[in-house]
Amino acid sequence: MIAAGVSASNGNSVILIEKNERLGRKLAITGKGRCNITNASDIDTILSNIITNKKFMYTSLYTFTNEQVIEFFEERGVKTKVERGNRVFPCSDDAKEVVNSLEKYLRKNKVKVLKGCTVKKLIINDQVVTGVQTTDGQTIEADAIIVATGGKSYPGTGSTGDGYQFAKTLGIDVKPIKPALVPLNAKESWVKELQGLSLRNVKVAIKNNHKIIYEDFGEMLFTHFGVSGPLILSASSTLIDQLKQPLQMIIDLKPALDDSALDKRIIRDFGKYINKDFSNSLVDLLPRKLIPVIIERSGIDPAKKVNTITKEERLKLLALIKSFDLTITGARSIKEAIITSGGINVKEVDPHSMESKKIKGLYFAGEVLDVDALTGGYNLQIAFSTGYLAGISI
């Protein structure tokens, strides 16, 4: 939509071919339906959060910056706010407002939108674009094509890998497709008991053969199959190639307290509940849903009176809270991934225009490219920046 609108605003006659019956289906579900438009950090920070091919993004990010993205939507009536981690959302917390503003942008610039229309193949003569053929047999002539078909995650929104097939048919290299920003499976059966439990301000370390390969602080979520949430999603993108073997994940449930401070806190709570059962002594310290699992893993009898708990048992409890571990057995499927890692090899795309180096008039933008980033609005910024650059380059 950005690519089509900006290209039309330059005086081009533009047709946007959308195979869904409505525009922006994937955009409408981003940020849990709130739409994390971009990130308000500086460009260097944005680049540092891009996992794959960040150098390729220099020109497009500086051509259509995060500040310009915010300005673009503000000018079209979408008031924005900045939340934790510099994440930028519409004040309305409604992704549909963002989609609607882009639809108005298309109408204003007289972009012709064909909904429920699927492209079968791109028509190329002598390595030059001449148009597209649709599945219903019509040929649409064009002297430029922007492929902005997304990745392969959330296929229900239309992201079914069409762009990769177009590219492969034309001899353009496509890097292997993998899920990114995806929840992770855990081996332990007790994770099911914690389903729905969200932990904030925890520290997570992931180890491979006792070596820490990922470490971060933030928020995570337990699910019926394992773990998810911002911390886990970011870890999955960083470690996607190492998830073929079991990895040890260690959660520090109280990272703000060192061992000494946590021990004093436990002693204080034990003093408060001195005549109660151990099972009733942790309500001030831990989320209620987590307590039964902690008690079971501590090996301390839940019916044991607090005043009879030994120092050894207390220190074992402390160690468990500071090092609550589980086994990661792999990532969920690409259908559950927020984004796709892999895609059009950026070595075959001109970063100054998004045009294919092999085929004149063929441009790529967004997730179809082999560029992906961590959570925080960075992936939508990549989409907007590359779409804008492709649009103004034609």
Side-chain angles (χ1 to χ4, degrees), residues 191-241:
V191 297
K192 289 179 185 171
E193 296 174 47
L194 302 179
Q195 180 179 351
L197 174 65
S198 180
L199 297 176
R200 292 176 180 233
N201 305 319
V202 294
K203 185 180 173 186
V204 163
I206 297 177
K207 292 183 177 181
N208 185 4
N209 293 325
H210 308 293
K211 181 187 174 187
I212 293 176
I213 53 174
Y214 178 85
E215 199 169 25
D216 206 357
F217 173 90
E219 186 178 341
M220 63 166 285
L221 172 75
F222 284 99
T223 66
H224 66 284
F225 53 77
V227 285
S228 188
L231 261 181
I232 305 305
L233 298 176
S234 292
S236 75
S237 283
T238 309
L239 304 175
I240 199 68
D241 293 323

Side-chain angles (χ1 to χ4, degrees), residues 151-153 164 177-180 334 338-342 367 371-372:
K152 259 198 126 169
S153 57
Y164 309 137
I177 303 307
K178 292 172 278 192
I334 200 159
I338 292 176
I339 59 161
T340 308
S341 174
E367 200 180 339
V371 183
D372 61 274

Side-chain angles (χ1 to χ4, degrees), residues 56-110:
F56 175 80
M57 285 300 302
Y58 274 77
T59 302
S60 56
L61 280 175
Y62 278 104
T63 302
F64 195 47
T65 66
N66 53 337
E67 290 176 357
Q68 287 169 285
V69 167
I70 294 165
E71 195 178 306
F72 174 90
F73 285 109
E74 292 265 357
E75 285 174 356
R76 283 156 187 82
V78 181
K79 299 298 175 197
T80 61
K81 59 181 176 179
V82 180
E83 296 188 2
R84 182 178 50 83
N86 277 334
R87 290 166 162 83
V88 179
F89 290 91
C91 289
S92 64
D93 286 328
D94 189 358
K96 290 192 182 74
E97 185 185 15
V98 179
V99 176
N100 292 341
S101 72
L102 287 169
E103 290 193 87
K104 285 178 190 169
Y105 179 58
L106 295 176
R107 286 195 294 272
K108 184 188 174 189
N109 288 295
K110 297 181 172 54

Side-chain angles (χ1 to χ4, degrees), residues 181-294:
L181 298 182
V182 65
L184 301 176
N185 290 316
K187 177 184 173 184
E188 288 74 13
S189 58
W190 51 255
V191 297
K192 289 179 185 171
E193 296 174 47
L194 302 179
Q195 180 179 351
L197 174 65
S198 180
L199 297 176
R200 292 176 180 233
N201 305 319
V202 294
K203 185 180 173 186
V204 163
I206 297 177
K207 292 183 177 181
N208 185 4
N209 293 325
H210 308 293
K211 181 187 174 187
I212 293 176
I213 53 174
Y214 178 85
E215 199 169 25
D216 206 357
F217 173 90
E219 186 178 341
M220 63 166 285
L221 172 75
F222 284 99
T223 66
H224 66 284
F225 53 77
V227 285
S228 188
L231 261 181
I232 305 305
L233 298 176
S234 292
S236 75
S237 283
T238 309
L239 304 175
I240 199 68
D241 293 323
Q242 300 186 60
L243 288 168
K244 293 182 180 77
Q245 68 241 318
L247 302 173
Q248 186 189 25
M249 179 170 141
I250 299 159
I251 307 165
D252 183 346
L253 296 165
K254 295 289 176 183
L257 303 175
D258 62 18
D259 286 12
S260 173
L262 179 58
D263 194 31
K264 286 174 185 168
R265 170 69 198 274
I266 293 169
I267 290 168
R268 193 169 76 236
D269 283 5
F270 278 4
K272 182 178 175 182
Y273 297 107
I274 195 158
N275 295 315
K276 299 218 169 196
D277 291 351
F278 174 53
S279 59
N280 296 320
S281 67
L282 303 175
V283 288
D284 297 344
L285 187 65
L286 298 167
R288 201 168 287 274
K289 207 167 192 175
L290 188 59
I291 292 171
V293 175
I294 288 282

Side-chain angles (χ1 to χ4, degrees), residues 89-164:
F89 290 91
C91 289
S92 64
D93 286 328
D94 189 358
K96 290 192 182 74
E97 185 185 15
V98 179
V99 176
N100 292 341
S101 72
L102 287 169
E103 290 193 87
K104 285 178 190 169
Y105 179 58
L106 295 176
R107 286 195 294 272
K108 184 188 174 189
N109 288 295
K110 297 181 172 54
V111 173
K112 183 180 179 183
V113 179
L114 302 180
K115 294 178 186 173
C117 181
T118 305
V119 172
K120 183 181 179 183
K121 68 172 184 175
L122 313 185
I123 305 169
I124 314 294
N125 288 319
D126 296 326
Q127 299 301 94
V128 178
V129 160
T130 61
V132 299
Q133 188 179 358
T134 63
T135 50
D136 60 5
Q138 67 172 315
T139 297
I140 302 169
E141 292 183 358
D143 51 17
I145 297 167
I146 302 173
V147 176
T149 50
K152 259 198 126 169
S153 57
Y154 285 109
T157 63
S159 299
T160 51
D162 302 19
Y164 309 137

